[in-house]
């Protein structure tokens, strides 16, 4: 499976640094807030993915410098905030591949963001932070 497809379907995006003006990306993010309970499940103190989470649009979890998706785990290596935009460089691993991935995000509000795909102006994926 193409790594971009894996990331777009279930592992996309980010991390936060507690710097002044930095956008807080921590939390569970789903493509539809109404499906948060179908995408994520609590496993003890940890939040994980439901078995069929990708059927409901998927999502990702950001915890510190880690981006956790259903099929990949990434560690943020670099971050640049520019107003509502955040650019990330992450080292990502799947069961079969390691790669460096760039994420471009735009904050819509405190609980909504869009993943942008530079060079593909009409392509974007919206995500909403799930309640804790």
């Amino acid at each position: 499976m193409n790594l971009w497809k894996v990331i777009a379907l279930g592992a996309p995006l980010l991390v936060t640094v507690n710097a002044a003006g930095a956008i807080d990306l921590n939390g569970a993010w789903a493509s539809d807030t109404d499906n948060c309970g179908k995408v994520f499940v609590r496993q003890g103190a940890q939040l994980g993915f439901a078995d069929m989470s990708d059927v409901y649009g998927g999502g990702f979890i950001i915890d510190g410098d880690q981006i956790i998706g259903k099929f990949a785990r990434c560690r943020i290596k670099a971050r640049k905030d520019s107003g509502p935009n955040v650019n990330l460089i992450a080292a990502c691993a799947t069961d079969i591949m390691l790669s460096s991935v760039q994420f471009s995000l735009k904050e819509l509000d405190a609980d909504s963001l869009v993943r942008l795909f530079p060079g593909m102006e009409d392509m974007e994926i919206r995500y909403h932070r799930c309640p804790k």
Side-chain angles (χ1 to χ4, degrees):
M1 179 181 283
N2 177 313
L3 181 60
W4 284 110
K5 185 174 180 182
V6 169
I7 291 169
L9 291 177
L13 334 222
L14 12 144
V15 113
T16 188
V17 174
N18 290 331
I23 297 168
D24 177 18
L25 299 172
N26 281 307
W29 297 84
S31 56
D32 183 346
T33 313
D34 293 337
N35 289 330
C36 286
K38 296 174 184 170
V39 174
F40 302 106
V41 294
R42 188 147 305 274
Q43 301 162 337
Q46 289 272 312
L47 192 60
F49 291 88
D51 288 334
M52 299 295 289
S53 62
D54 47 335
V55 171
Y56 300 100
F60 58 92
I61 301 165
I62 296 180
D63 184 13
D65 68 346
Q66 293 192 41
I67 303 168
I68 305 158
K70 184 158 184 169
F71 302 109
R73 179 178 286 270
C74 303
R75 182 168 297 265
I76 304 300
K77 297 297 183 181
R79 175 179 173 151
K80 181 179 180 188
D81 288 74
S82 178
N85 298 310
V86 179
N87 288 298
L88 303 170
I89 302 292
C92 298
T94 66
D95 289 342
I96 60 170
M97 182 189 309
L98 298 173
S99 64
S100 181
V101 180
Q102 180 176 355
F103 295 100
S104 295
L105 308 168
K106 182 175 183 176
E107 180 183 44
L108 301 176
D109 60 47
D111 294 319
S112 301
L113 57 84
V114 174
R115 179 172 181 197
L116 305 170
F117 296 85
M120 301 174 79
E121 309 320 327
D122 293 335
M123 186 170 176
E124 65 181 37
I125 303 172
R126 291 179 184 261
Y127 292 96
H128 307 279
R129 191 184 326 253
C130 293
K132 294 181 180 181

